[in-house]
Amino acid sequence: MTEAGRTAGPSASLWERDEEIATLTRAVDTLCADRTSPGTLLVARGEAGLGKTALLAETRRIAEARGCTVWSARGGETLRSVPFNVVRQLLQPALVSMLPEEAREYLGDWYGIAGPALGIADPGERQADPQGVCDGLVAAVRRLARREWPLVLLVDDAHWADQETLRWLAALAERLDETSVLIVVARRPGDVSGDSARYLDAAAAAGRPLLPLNVLSPDATAGLTRATLGDHADAAFCREVWAVTGGNPYETVELLAKVQDSELQPVEAEAAELRALNRSARGGGLVARLEQLGVDSTRFAWAAAILGDGITVDMVARLATLDRADAARCAELLCNARILTAPDPAPGPSDADRLEFVHPLIATAVYNSIPDALRTAMHGIAAQLVTDSGLGAAAASRHLLQVHPDDDPEVVEQLRDAAREHLAVGAPEAARRCLERALQEPPLPEMHARVLYELGCATLLTAPATTIGHLRTALAMPGLDGEQRVNAVFRLSEALLHNDQLEEAVRTVQAEAARNPDPSVRLRLQAVQYMWEGIHPGEPSSPGRSRRLAELAATCTGRDNAERALLILRGFDAMTRGENAEEVVELCDRALVNGRLAPGLGWTDTEWGLELPMMLATSYAYTDRLDRAEALFTEALNTYETAGWSGGHLALAHAYVGLGHRRRGRLREAEKSLRESLRIAERVGRGLPLYWSATCNLIDTLLARGHVEEARSVADRYGFDPPYPSTIVLPDPRPVRARLLLATGRTEEGVNELETAEKAAAARGRHNPVVHPWTTELARALATEDPGRAARLATEARRHAERFGTDTAIGEALRCAAALETGQRAVRLAAQAVTYLEASPCQYEHAAARVEYGIAARSEAELRRGLALADSCGADGLVARAREARGLSQPVAPSSSASTRCAAANAEFAAGTPQYTAVCSSTAPISSGVSPLRRAARTCMASSS
């Protein structure tokens, strides 16, 4: 662990820093005053040499004087490619000091997720989720902060920290309200770009800046000069010190040290020597001073600069080819010359002869002074030394990245091994760098395609457009055969999907299926094709898709995962098209093995992805099998949390758990899950399908709760407007947005949106009135303006509902029909809606039907029942409506007995009343099969037609 170095004098670089020190002191005191106080992040920002390191050293002194635990780390210009380098410096020593069992117990479920990134646990076999690892590191700090309170974390040169550390720092900064810790970060204004700059800026935005660090004034420079050289330093000499250094605190301190070493008198007559002395303290002057210490010392300093961290006398001696005694002598000379220094003691085990550069400026100057060819050669030797030391391929890869390509197959294999290690700890960017460098070597012709495939897999989630190029090139080359080629085609289609090129994804798997002679491979590729087509909300990719899928699935028994996939896809397609729900459930059940997801089709299995189990679960959710849907959604959530997958996968899991709550009628729980989904989705990035799933479901839930203004606020904040994503979102966002528009008085826009939804659903043959409820919504919207069309739409909704056959679908169609009627016809329809929705698992819809029936029948008893149900659901708007209606109603309803209502409806069927034949059926759940009453309804329909 690199500690913030202490300055030679207690106030050497702290002149004119009183306000900054006061702020730091107050922050330490606040931390120490209350164990439950929220955390604080302070940012010291300034150019090189303005005293950032000195401020961190002063923070350490203040904190330790008050009994705080202080851990610190420093970024390095040559170490930015080492993932988790800085966060390891901070946390690893404390965790290593624990017994392995203690660390495992202390980190709990996060041990296997964050432990590999911190270097205290072996990584697992599968690729780690970067966001999950980041969350695990945040959790580790939160637990350590409770254990080590009051805890202060110091991060110097954060602009040179690795990207993975900066991602963690930004995430931790967001959670400081829950973590009593003080973090002080020192950074330069520039020297960082891309994602690293975004993370560092996000962390800084969540914290509080100290005053911008400026150069010393002439008076402060004079005070520092006299404090260092004596009160006899005359004014002219002091002014020249300021002119030479520009008031830079670091350069001033170094220059004054040179004055002391040279025994120069601080008088005007000697002031002319200051510029030459200043040049020797930096840049070329520093190199010349280094050379004056001798060849061995120069080689030692070069080797130390190559290593960057983990600098020990033994390691440097091996790299510089010096014997132990000569190396120790060189280390002493370089320390006396203020080029190297021993760091402050770190907690936990450490090497007694550890070294670091006095200042990053010196480290950079020494590194840049190494001749290019020699620097490259030394990196190659360092890579071998690191490998021989047993530190692993990932640790050696930093040096291999600097070695010139030389057609060396061994280097290619080392870099591939390093990439696998980086992926296993959640550092895909580091893996990408290794594999891109391996391609430059280049690999042997028979290995080239495999390296490209591995690179494509490493960049799949972070750069899909880049992945497409890599995988297309790999598939065009020899070397990918059998299962690996099929996997590459699947990954390419995934990348095309993520890059919004769904039609190209379908063509890719179609072409591969046509050329592959293996029937089992063709079946798998056909399943992938149907899967991508199935999640496309627009025009079908090929004519007759549903028919061909049905024919193919009819031959499947579920004996392997390709057949199981086709059964799931056929079930999902039939569900969205509104085909018989019992047949949908039967298809889905055949895809399971002993009632569970088959191995290889699980939530974290990469062979098929998460789309298939999500389709399976949603098919159950919309066929009134909410018990099975909720079990699958909960399994997904638990699986991702256990595996540490806290990016897009976890966001989707929370969204679909919320969908399950929404379907069940637990609106408060749904809102909580969906807000958590949206929080995670925000970290992944807006515009993705998972983002739409969270937003659409949250707005739908808020509207059901009656929180219209909040729903509108969410829609405005998260851009819930066309164009819609290229993959299907459940529920359909168009009717949800239309309902929001109608609820906020934008009737014409709402009707237009519903008519657009009508066209989109018709183009795909999607007639499930529960998944795509545009018919009932449009019928209600047109009830006054165009009652004829509204009635036709309600009849169409009843027809589709009867075809689908669930209690929810039929009950909702009846609710719509009742809303368009008046008098006893409205009462009878509302009573039938209650009958069906009473048997449905969807309690919100049941509550709404009760309230509407109570209003239509002027029934106090029904309104009370509806109010109680609405209150239990959290439907505040429905509660208010029921309460208002109770004040206007008299209990005049007919019997509320389900059997009486069904008997009355059956009598209407016997009398041949066609408007009711499409909606009468048993109140028994659909799992018991088609009831006698439902069969009677269909008989009446046939006879009346």
Side-chain angles (χ1 to χ4, degrees), residues 213-280:
L213 300 181
N214 297 312
V215 296
L216 299 176
S217 65
D219 288 344
T221 303
L224 178 56
T225 301
R226 293 188 175 108
T228 305
L229 304 179
D231 292 339
H232 62 287
D234 64 27
F237 187 91
C238 293
R239 282 196 300 272
E240 186 63 15
V241 169
W242 180 82
V244 167
T245 63
N248 183 289
Y250 169 74
E251 292 190 16
T252 302
V253 170
E254 285 298 307
L255 176 58
L256 295 177
K258 289 295 174 192
V259 171
Q260 286 180 311
D261 290 344
S262 64
E263 299 183 352
L264 194 71
Q265 292 301 309
V267 295
E268 184 176 7
E270 303 286 352
E273 302 296 325
L274 290 174
R275 292 192 181 275
L277 282 177
N278 189 55
R279 284 194 298 271
S280 72

Coordinates of all heavy atoms in Angstrom, one line a residue, residues 213-280:
L213 N -6.4 24.9 -5.4 CA -5.0 25.2 -4.9 C -4.3 26.1 -5.9 O -4.3 25.8 -7.1 CB -4.3 23.9 -4.8 CG -4.9 22.8 -3.8 CD1 -4.0 21.6 -3.7 CD2 -5.1 23.5 -2.4
N214 N -3.8 27.1 -5.4 CA -3.0 28.1 -6.2 C -1.6 28.2 -5.8 O -1.2 27.6 -4.8 CB -3.7 29.5 -6.0 CG -5.1 29.5 -6.5 OD1 -5.4 29.1 -7.6 ND2 -6.0 30.1 -5.7
V215 N -0.8 28.8 -6.6 CA 0.6 29.0 -6.3 C 0.8 29.9 -5.1 O -0.1 30.7 -4.7 CB 1.4 29.6 -7.5 CG1 1.3 28.6 -8.7 CG2 0.8 30.9 -7.9
L216 N 2.0 29.8 -4.5 CA 2.2 30.7 -3.3 C 2.5 32.1 -3.7 O 3.0 32.4 -4.8 CB 3.5 30.2 -2.6 CG 3.5 28.7 -2.1 CD1 4.8 28.3 -1.5 CD2 2.4 28.6 -1.0
S217 N 2.1 33.0 -2.9 CA 2.3 34.4 -3.1 C 3.8 34.7 -2.8 O 4.5 33.9 -2.2 CB 1.4 35.3 -2.2 OG 1.8 35.0 -0.8
P218 N 4.3 35.8 -3.3 CA 5.7 36.2 -3.0 C 5.9 36.2 -1.5 O 7.0 35.8 -1.0 CB 5.8 37.6 -3.6 CG 4.9 37.6 -4.8 CD 3.7 36.8 -4.3
D219 N 5.0 36.7 -0.7 CA 5.2 36.8 0.8 C 5.3 35.4 1.4 O 6.1 35.2 2.3 CB 4.0 37.6 1.4 CG 4.1 39.1 1.1 OD1 5.1 39.5 0.7 OD2 3.0 39.7 1.3
A220 N 4.4 34.5 0.9 CA 4.5 33.1 1.4 C 5.8 32.5 1.0 O 6.4 31.7 1.8 CB 3.3 32.3 0.9
T221 N 6.2 32.7 -0.2 CA 7.5 32.1 -0.6 C 8.7 32.6 0.2 O 9.6 31.9 0.6 CB 7.7 32.4 -2.1 OG1 6.6 32.0 -2.9 CG2 9.0 31.8 -2.6
A222 N 8.6 33.9 0.5 CA 9.6 34.5 1.4 C 9.6 33.9 2.8 O 10.6 33.6 3.4 CB 9.5 36.0 1.5
G223 N 8.4 33.7 3.3 CA 8.3 33.1 4.6 C 8.8 31.7 4.6 O 9.5 31.2 5.6
L224 N 8.5 30.9 3.6 CA 9.0 29.5 3.5 C 10.5 29.5 3.3 O 11.2 28.7 3.9 CB 8.3 28.8 2.3 CG 8.7 27.4 2.0 CD1 8.5 26.5 3.2 CD2 7.9 26.9 0.8
T225 N 11.0 30.4 2.6 CA 12.5 30.5 2.4 C 13.2 30.8 3.7 O 14.2 30.1 4.1 CB 12.8 31.6 1.4 OG1 12.2 31.3 0.1 CG2 14.3 31.7 1.1
R226 N 12.7 31.7 4.4 CA 13.3 32.1 5.7 C 13.1 30.9 6.8 O 14.0 30.7 7.6 CB 12.8 33.4 6.2 CG 13.2 34.6 5.3 CD 12.8 35.9 5.9 NE 13.3 37.0 5.1 CZ 12.6 37.8 4.3 NH1 11.3 37.6 4.3 NH2 13.2 38.7 3.6
A227 N 12.0 30.3 6.7 CA 11.8 29.1 7.6 C 12.7 28.0 7.3 O 13.1 27.3 8.3 CB 10.3 28.7 7.5
T228 N 13.1 27.9 6.1 CA 14.0 26.8 5.7 C 15.5 27.2 5.8 O 16.3 26.4 6.4 CB 13.7 26.3 4.2 OG1 12.3 26.0 4.1 CG2 14.5 25.1 3.9
L229 N 15.8 28.4 5.4 CA 17.3 28.7 5.3 C 17.7 29.7 6.4 O 18.9 29.8 6.7 CB 17.5 29.4 4.0 CG 17.2 28.6 2.7 CD1 17.5 29.5 1.5 CD2 17.9 27.3 2.7
G230 N 16.8 30.2 7.1 CA 17.1 31.2 8.2 C 16.6 32.5 8.0 O 16.3 32.9 6.8
D231 N 16.4 33.3 9.1 CA 15.8 34.6 9.0 C 16.7 35.6 8.2 O 16.2 36.7 7.8 CB 15.5 35.2 10.4 CG 14.4 34.4 11.1 OD1 13.6 33.8 10.3 OD2 14.4 34.5 12.3
H232 N 18.0 35.2 8.0 CA 18.9 36.1 7.3 C 18.7 36.1 5.8 O 19.4 36.9 5.1 CB 20.3 35.8 7.7 CG 20.7 34.4 7.3 ND1 20.3 33.3 7.9 CD2 21.6 34.0 6.3 CE1 20.8 32.2 7.3 NE2 21.6 32.6 6.3
A233 N 17.9 35.3 5.3 CA 17.6 35.3 3.8 C 17.1 36.7 3.4 O 16.1 37.1 3.9 CB 16.7 34.2 3.4
D234 N 17.8 37.3 2.5 CA 17.4 38.7 2.2 C 16.2 38.7 1.2 O 15.9 37.8 0.6 CB 18.6 39.6 1.8 CG 19.2 39.1 0.4 OD1 18.5 38.5 -0.4 OD2 20.4 39.3 0.2
A235 N 15.6 39.9 1.1 CA 14.4 40.1 0.3 C 14.6 39.8 -1.2 O 13.8 39.1 -1.8 CB 13.8 41.5 0.5
A236 N 15.8 40.2 -1.7 CA 16.1 40.0 -3.1 C 16.2 38.5 -3.4 O 15.7 38.0 -4.4 CB 17.3 40.7 -3.5
F237 N 16.8 37.8 -2.5 CA 17.0 36.3 -2.7 C 15.6 35.6 -2.7 O 15.3 34.8 -3.5 CB 17.9 35.7 -1.6 CG 18.2 34.3 -1.8 CD1 19.4 33.9 -2.5 CD2 17.5 33.3 -1.3 CE1 19.7 32.6 -2.7 CE2 17.8 32.0 -1.4 CZ 18.9 31.6 -2.1
C238 N 14.8 36.1 -1.7 CA 13.4 35.5 -1.6 C 12.6 35.8 -2.8 O 11.9 34.9 -3.3 CB 12.7 36.0 -0.4 SG 13.5 35.4 1.2
R239 N 12.7 37.0 -3.4 CA 12.0 37.3 -4.6 C 12.4 36.4 -5.8 O 11.6 36.0 -6.6 CB 12.1 38.8 -4.9 CG 11.3 39.7 -4.1 CD 11.2 41.1 -4.7 NE 12.5 41.7 -4.9 CZ 13.2 42.4 -3.9 NH1 12.6 42.7 -2.8 NH2 14.3 43.0 -4.2
E240 N 13.7 36.2 -5.8 CA 14.2 35.3 -6.9 C 13.8 33.9 -6.8 O 13.5 33.2 -7.8 CB 15.7 35.4 -7.0 CG 16.4 34.7 -8.2 CD 16.0 35.3 -9.5 OE1 15.4 36.5 -9.5 OE2 16.2 34.7 -10.5
V241 N 13.7 33.4 -5.6 CA 13.1 32.0 -5.3 C 11.7 32.0 -5.9 O 11.3 31.0 -6.6 CB 13.1 31.7 -3.8 CG1 12.3 30.4 -3.6 CG2 14.6 31.5 -3.3
W242 N 10.9 33.0 -5.6 CA 9.5 33.0 -6.1 C 9.5 33.1 -7.7 O 8.7 32.4 -8.3 CB 8.8 34.2 -5.5 CG 7.4 34.3 -6.0 CD1 6.3 33.6 -5.5 CD2 6.9 35.1 -7.0 NE1 5.1 33.9 -6.2 CE2 5.5 34.9 -7.2 CE3 7.5 36.0 -7.9 CZ2 4.7 35.5 -8.1 CZ3 6.6 36.7 -8.8 CH2 5.3 36.4 -8.9
A243 N 10.4 33.9 -8.2 CA 10.4 34.1 -9.7 C 10.9 32.8 -10.4 O 10.3 32.5 -11.5 CB 11.4 35.3 -10.0
V244 N 11.8 32.1 -9.8 CA 12.3 30.9 -10.4 C 11.3 29.8 -10.4 O 11.1 29.0 -11.4 CB 13.6 30.5 -9.8 CG1 14.0 29.1 -10.2 CG2 14.7 31.4 -10.1
T245 N 10.6 29.6 -9.3 CA 9.7 28.5 -9.1 C 8.3 28.9 -9.5 O 7.4 28.0 -9.6 CB 9.7 28.1 -7.6 OG1 9.2 29.2 -6.8 CG2 11.0 27.6 -7.2
G246 N 8.0 30.1 -9.7 CA 6.6 30.5 -10.0 C 5.7 30.3 -8.9 O 4.4 30.3 -9.1
G247 N 6.2 30.2 -7.7 CA 5.4 30.0 -6.5 C 4.9 28.6 -6.4 O 4.0 28.3 -5.5
N248 N 5.4 27.6 -7.2 CA 5.0 26.2 -7.1 C 5.5 25.7 -5.8 O 6.7 25.6 -5.6 CB 5.5 25.4 -8.3 CG 5.0 24.0 -8.2 OD1 5.5 23.2 -7.4 ND2 4.1 23.6 -9.2
P249 N 4.7 25.2 -4.8 CA 5.2 24.7 -3.5 C 6.2 23.6 -3.6 O 7.2 23.6 -2.9 CB 3.9 24.3 -2.8 CG 2.8 25.0 -3.4 CD 3.2 25.2 -4.9
Y250 N 5.9 22.6 -4.5 CA 6.9 21.5 -4.6 C 8.2 21.9 -5.1 O 9.3 21.6 -4.5 CB 6.3 20.4 -5.5 CG 7.3 19.3 -5.9 CD1 7.7 18.4 -4.9 CD2 7.9 19.3 -7.1 CE1 8.7 17.4 -5.2 CE2 8.9 18.4 -7.4 CZ 9.2 17.4 -6.5 OH 10.2 16.5 -6.8
E251 N 8.2 22.7 -6.2 CA 9.5 23.2 -6.7 C 10.2 24.1 -5.7 O 11.4 24.1 -5.7 CB 9.2 23.9 -8.1 CG 8.8 23.0 -9.2 CD 8.8 23.7 -10.5 OE1 9.4 24.7 -10.6 OE2 8.1 23.2 -11.4
T252 N 9.5 24.9 -5.0 CA 10.1 25.7 -4.0 C 10.8 24.9 -2.9 O 11.9 25.2 -2.5 CB 9.0 26.6 -3.3 OG1 8.4 27.4 -4.3 CG2 9.6 27.6 -2.3
V253 N 10.1 23.9 -2.4 CA 10.7 23.0 -1.4 C 12.0 22.4 -1.9 O 13.0 22.3 -1.3 CB 9.7 22.0 -0.9 CG1 10.4 20.9 -0.1 CG2 8.6 22.6 -0.1
E254 N 11.9 21.8 -3.2 CA 13.0 21.1 -3.8 C 14.2 22.1 -4.0 O 15.4 21.8 -3.8 CB 12.6 20.5 -5.1 CG 11.8 19.2 -4.9 CD 12.6 18.1 -4.2 OE1 13.7 17.8 -4.6 OE2 12.1 17.6 -3.1
L255 N 13.9 23.3 -4.5 CA 14.9 24.3 -4.7 C 15.6 24.7 -3.4 O 16.9 24.7 -3.4 CB 14.3 25.5 -5.4 CG 15.3 26.7 -5.6 CD1 16.5 26.2 -6.5 CD2 14.6 27.9 -6.3
L256 N 14.8 24.9 -2.4 CA 15.5 25.3 -1.1 C 16.3 24.1 -0.5 O 17.3 24.4 0.1 CB 14.4 25.7 -0.1 CG 13.6 26.9 -0.5 CD1 12.5 27.2 0.5 CD2 14.5 28.1 -0.6
A257 N 15.9 22.9 -0.8 CA 16.7 21.7 -0.4 C 18.0 21.7 -1.1 O 19.1 21.4 -0.5 CB 16.0 20.4 -0.6
K258 N 18.0 22.1 -2.4 CA 19.2 22.2 -3.2 C 20.1 23.3 -2.7 O 21.4 23.2 -2.7 CB 18.9 22.4 -4.7 CG 18.3 21.2 -5.3 CD 19.3 20.1 -5.4 CE 18.6 18.8 -6.0 NZ 19.5 17.7 -5.8
V259 N 19.5 24.4 -2.3 CA 20.3 25.5 -1.7 C 21.0 25.0 -0.5 O 22.2 25.3 -0.3 CB 19.4 26.7 -1.4 CG1 20.1 27.8 -0.6 CG2 18.8 27.3 -2.7
Q260 N 20.3 24.3 0.4 CA 21.0 23.8 1.6 C 22.1 22.8 1.2 O 23.2 22.9 1.8 CB 19.9 23.1 2.5 CG 19.0 24.0 3.2 CD 18.0 23.3 4.0 OE1 17.3 22.3 3.6 NE2 17.8 23.7 5.3
D261 N 21.8 21.9 0.3 CA 22.9 20.9 -0.1 C 24.1 21.6 -0.7 O 25.3 21.2 -0.4 CB 22.3 19.9 -1.1 CG 21.3 19.0 -0.6 OD1 21.2 18.9 0.7 OD2 20.5 18.4 -1.3
S262 N 23.9 22.7 -1.4 CA 25.0 23.3 -2.1 C 25.7 24.4 -1.2 O 26.7 25.0 -1.6 CB 24.6 24.0 -3.4 OG 23.6 25.0 -3.1
E263 N 25.1 24.6 0.0 CA 25.6 25.6 1.0 C 25.7 27.0 0.4 O 26.5 27.8 0.7 CB 27.0 25.1 1.5 CG 27.0 23.8 2.2 CD 28.3 23.4 2.8 OE1 29.3 24.1 2.5 OE2 28.4 22.4 3.5
L264 N 24.7 27.2 -0.5 CA 24.6 28.5 -1.1 C 24.0 29.5 -0.1 O 23.1 29.2 0.7 CB 23.6 28.5 -2.3 CG 23.6 29.7 -3.3 CD1 24.9 29.7 -4.1 CD2 22.4 29.5 -4.2
Q265 N 24.6 30.7 0.0 CA 24.1 31.7 1.0 C 22.9 32.4 0.4 O 22.8 32.8 -0.8 CB 25.2 32.7 1.2 CG 26.4 32.2 2.0 CD 26.0 31.6 3.3 OE1 25.3 32.3 4.1 NE2 26.4 30.4 3.6
P266 N 21.9 32.6 1.3 CA 20.6 33.2 0.8 C 20.7 34.7 0.7 O 19.9 35.4 1.4 CB 19.6 32.7 1.8 CG 20.4 32.6 3.1 CD 21.8 32.2 2.7
V267 N 21.6 35.2 -0.1 CA 21.7 36.6 -0.3 C 21.6 37.0 -1.8 O 21.7 36.1 -2.6 CB 23.1 37.1 0.3 CG1 23.2 36.9 1.8 CG2 24.3 36.4 -0.4
E268 N 21.4 38.3 -2.0 CA 21.2 38.7 -3.4 C 22.3 38.3 -4.3 O 22.1 38.0 -5.5 CB 21.0 40.2 -3.4 CG 20.6 40.8 -4.8 CD 20.3 42.3 -4.7 OE1 20.5 42.9 -3.7 OE2 19.9 42.8 -5.8
A269 N 23.6 38.4 -3.8 CA 24.7 38.1 -4.6 C 24.7 36.6 -5.2 O 25.3 36.3 -6.2 CB 26.0 38.3 -3.9
E270 N 24.0 35.7 -4.5 CA 24.0 34.3 -4.9 C 22.7 34.0 -5.6 O 22.6 32.8 -6.0 CB 24.1 33.4 -3.6 CG 25.4 33.7 -2.8 CD 26.6 33.1 -3.5 OE1 26.5 32.4 -4.5 OE2 27.7 33.4 -3.0
A271 N 21.8 34.9 -5.7 CA 20.5 34.6 -6.3 C 20.6 34.1 -7.7 O 19.7 33.4 -8.2 CB 19.6 35.8 -6.2
A272 N 21.6 34.5 -8.5 CA 21.7 34.1 -9.9 C 21.9 32.6 -10.0 O 21.7 32.1 -11.1 CB 22.9 34.9 -10.5
E273 N 22.4 32.0 -9.0 CA 22.6 30.5 -9.0 C 21.3 29.7 -8.9 O 21.3 28.5 -9.2 CB 23.6 30.1 -7.9 CG 24.9 30.8 -7.9 CD 25.7 30.4 -9.2 OE1 25.6 29.3 -9.6 OE2 26.4 31.3 -9.7
L274 N 20.2 30.4 -8.6 CA 19.0 29.6 -8.3 C 18.4 28.9 -9.5 O 17.9 27.8 -9.4 CB 17.9 30.6 -7.7 CG 18.2 31.1 -6.2 CD1 17.2 32.1 -5.8 CD2 18.2 29.9 -5.3
R275 N 18.5 29.6 -10.7 CA 17.9 29.0 -11.9 C 18.6 27.7 -12.3 O 18.0 26.7 -12.6 CB 17.9 30.0 -13.0 CG 17.0 31.2 -12.8 CD 16.8 32.0 -14.0 NE 16.0 33.2 -13.7 CZ 14.6 33.1 -13.7 NH1 14.0 32.0 -14.1 NH2 13.9 34.2 -13.4
A276 N 19.9 27.7 -12.1 CA 20.7 26.4 -12.5 C 20.3 25.3 -11.5 O 20.1 24.2 -11.8 CB 22.1 26.7 -12.4
L277 N 20.2 25.7 -10.2 CA 19.8 24.7 -9.2 C 18.4 24.2 -9.4 O 18.1 23.0 -9.2 CB 19.9 25.3 -7.8 CG 21.3 25.5 -7.1 CD1 21.2 26.2 -5.8 CD2 21.9 24.1 -7.0
N278 N 17.5 25.1 -9.8 CA 16.1 24.6 -10.1 C 16.1 23.6 -11.2 O 15.3 22.7 -11.2 CB 15.2 25.8 -10.4 CG 13.8 25.5 -10.4 OD1 13.3 24.9 -9.4 ND2 13.1 25.8 -11.5
R279 N 16.9 23.9 -12.3 CA 16.9 23.0 -13.4 C 17.3 21.6 -13.0 O 16.9 20.6 -13.5 CB 17.7 23.5 -14.5 CG 17.1 24.6 -15.3 CD 17.8 24.9 -16.6 NE 19.2 25.4 -16.4 CZ 19.6 26.6 -16.2 NH1 18.6 27.6 -16.3 NH2 20.8 26.9 -16.0
S280 N 18.2 21.5 -12.1 CA 18.8 20.2 -11.6 C 17.8 19.4 -10.8 O 18.0 18.2 -10.6 CB 20.1 20.4 -10.8 OG 19.8 21.0 -9.5

